[in-house]
Amino acid sequence: MTVLMLQPELHNKIWGGTRLKQFDYDLATDHVGEAWVIAAHSNGVSTVTNGKYRGRTLTQLWDEQPELFGGHDAHQAFPLLVKILDAHDNLSIQVHPNDKQSSEKFGKTESWYILDATPNAKLYYGHLAQNKAELTKQVENKAWDKLLRTIPVQKGDFFYVPAGTFHALGAGVLALEIQQSSDTTYRFYDFDRVDATTNKLRPLQVEEALAVTKVPHVDPILNQRTRMQGNTIMTRLLTSPKFTIDKLSVRGTSHFNQHHPYELFNVITGKITLTHDDETYDLKKGDNFIMLKDTGNYTLDGKGDIMVSFVTPDSYSNQELAYLDN
Ligand code: ZN
């Protein structure tokens, strides 16, 4: 068995809403901000829902049966984390550390694929300060309007957010977030809002945030390209040092061959049938799974979109990746 279907874990957030219902997830509150759809982290974990590993968590399988994932050192943690975020309200203005700066096993380089957005939705990406002194001064003065780069967004937009990038998703954005497996956030500003569950402002970490923010902000150049694979349009959205992301727009029967030790799949629209080794999986929007080592050939059919992510192989040239490195 090489397909692990996964049960997401839902997290309430001050800025969350109810739009994750559209993925057929059971929301217990009207403030669900995050579905951790592929996770093996101490703050959230996916559980297998099919086959002989049913009921096991992704963390257990990774630790106890490394061969399923192509093998890894005992101390190595599962490196990726995929979430769906419903920003009913703005997230805090924040930044994340890189691998060297993080007290966790990984830094937090992330990416957003915009699944949906309200008509005037926007997000904050990068800042306008030219040097650290200017950034520090504007942050001390809470001169957010002078610092924030505001970007209007719509469905289908993609952003690469390397560690050290000043950012926040804005109200109205529904996003698939593919990132390193880390939960370390340093907040600059939280819009002075009171958390109803504690009656307090959420803590800020301004000093840590200033220390890891890259100055000046430079937009990464994404070398995106598209090709056909059978009846599927494959778009390579990102090749970065930490992960690579493909979007598969399935428009009929298409044959594939898995090349990597394991790949993460998130069905974001439509209905798709996956056939592999005489087994058939009826997939729909909101389904998430991992294909393990030795999957080999498989077929996708139907009409829908799937995001596929994997750890970038060493064979990808360093030169190709250098422009994206932290
Ligand atoms: Zn973030």
Side-chain angles (χ1 to χ4, degrees):
M1 193 199 100
T2 57
V3 177
L4 291 183
M5 301 298 301
L6 299 168
Q7 173 76 35
E9 198 181 279
L10 305 182
H11 293 215
N12 290 326
K13 295 284 172 181
I14 189 173
W15 42 262
T18 58
R19 282 184 299 175
L20 296 183
K21 275 182 193 160
Q22 65 180 269
F23 299 97
D24 258 358
Y25 302 157
D26 281 330
L27 309 196
T29 75
D30 56 5
H31 275 88
V32 178
E34 301 184 347
W36 290 37
V37 295
I38 301 183
H41 189 276
S42 53
N43 293 348
V45 68
S46 308
T47 305
V48 179
T49 62
N50 70 310
K52 64 178 171 183
Y53 304 119
R54 187 191 188 109
R56 309 274 306 277
T57 67
L58 181 54
T59 310
Q60 288 169 335
L61 279 184
W62 172 266
D63 288 343
E64 294 163 18
Q65 288 175 261
E67 68 282 1
L68 297 175
F69 303 85
H72 55 81
D73 294 340
H75 65 274
Q76 199 191 326
F78 188 77
L80 300 178
L81 172 59
V82 185
K83 302 177 185 175
I84 302 176
L85 279 67
D86 174 11
H88 180 69
D89 199 355
N90 291 329
L91 275 73
S92 59
I93 305 298
Q94 57 186 255
V95 65
H96 306 293
N98 65 23
D99 287 5
K100 288 189 195 118
Q101 297 157 336
S102 181
S103 57
E104 293 192 54
K105 291 196 166 150
F106 302 104
K108 193 167 185 271
T109 280
E110 53 193 37
S111 68
W112 306 318
Y113 179 82
I114 308 302
L115 296 167
D116 202 1
T118 53
N120 296 308
K122 56 190 185 314
L123 51 77
Y124 305 104
Y125 181 82
H127 60 73
L128 299 169
Q130 289 310 305
N131 53 57
K132 207 81 169 191
E134 189 185 338
L135 176 70
T136 306
K137 188 170 149 235
Q138 307 283 35
V139 168
E140 278 168 2
N141 294 339
K142 300 191 171 197
W144 307 112
D145 51 338
K146 289 189 187 145
L147 263 184
L148 294 170
R149 269 173 95 228
T150 306
I151 317 248
V153 283
Q154 53 188 0
K155 191 173 174 168
D157 289 348
F158 177 81
F159 295 84
Y160 177 53
V161 191
T165 305
F166 191 89
H167 69 273
L169 284 178
V173 174
L174 188 70
L176 182 80
E177 185 173 72
I178 296 172
Q179 55 162 94
Q180 291 182 278
S181 184
S182 161
D183 201 22
T184 303
T185 295
Y186 301 140
R187 290 193 195 109
F188 273 113
Y189 176 56
D190 200 29
F191 300 92
D192 299 319
R193 60 192 156 181
V194 175
D195 185 344
T197 60
T198 60
N199 244 344
K200 289 181 183 160
L201 301 176
R202 295 195 299 174
L204 304 177
Q205 300 82 21
V206 175
E207 206 174 309
E208 292 89 339
L210 281 171
V212 305
T213 301
K214 288 193 281 191
V215 189
H217 170 79
V218 178
D219 283 326
I221 298 161
L222 305 182
N223 182 21
Q224 296 183 350
R225 49 206 187 272
T226 293
R227 69 180 176 85
M228 293 300 295
Q229 173 85 21
N231 290 303
T232 292
I233 305 159
M234 286 186 76
T235 304
R236 170 122 325 160
L237 293 172
L238 175 73
T239 306
S240 78
K242 309 300 176 194
F243 46 80
T244 294
I245 303 174
D246 290 328
K247 180 185 172 192
L248 309 187
S249 296
V250 180
R251 301 295 182 260
T253 309
S254 315
H255 302 290
F256 296 86
N257 189 359
Q258 159 136 311
H259 304 292
H260 305 103
Y262 57 96
E263 294 183 352
L264 284 52
F265 290 72
N266 309 96
V267 184
I268 57 170
T269 70
K271 288 185 177 166
I272 292 165
T273 306
L274 161 67
T275 312
H276 167 66
D277 259 6
D278 299 336
E279 285 189 80
T280 299
Y281 300 83
D282 291 318
L283 306 169
K284 62 179 194 324
K285 173 180 169 178
D287 285 345
N288 307 285
F289 58 98
I290 294 178
M291 282 211 207
L292 298 169
K293 189 179 183 294
D294 300 328
T295 297
N297 296 314
Y298 63 94
T299 302
L300 298 177
D301 200 354
K303 186 168 188 285
D305 298 293
I306 307 189
M307 304 293 282
V308 183
S309 52
F310 49 90
V311 172
T312 303
D314 291 339
S315 58
Y316 285 28
S317 93
N318 288 332
Q319 213 165 5
E320 189 189 352
L321 297 175
Y323 65 95
L324 283 170
D325 213 341
N326 288 319

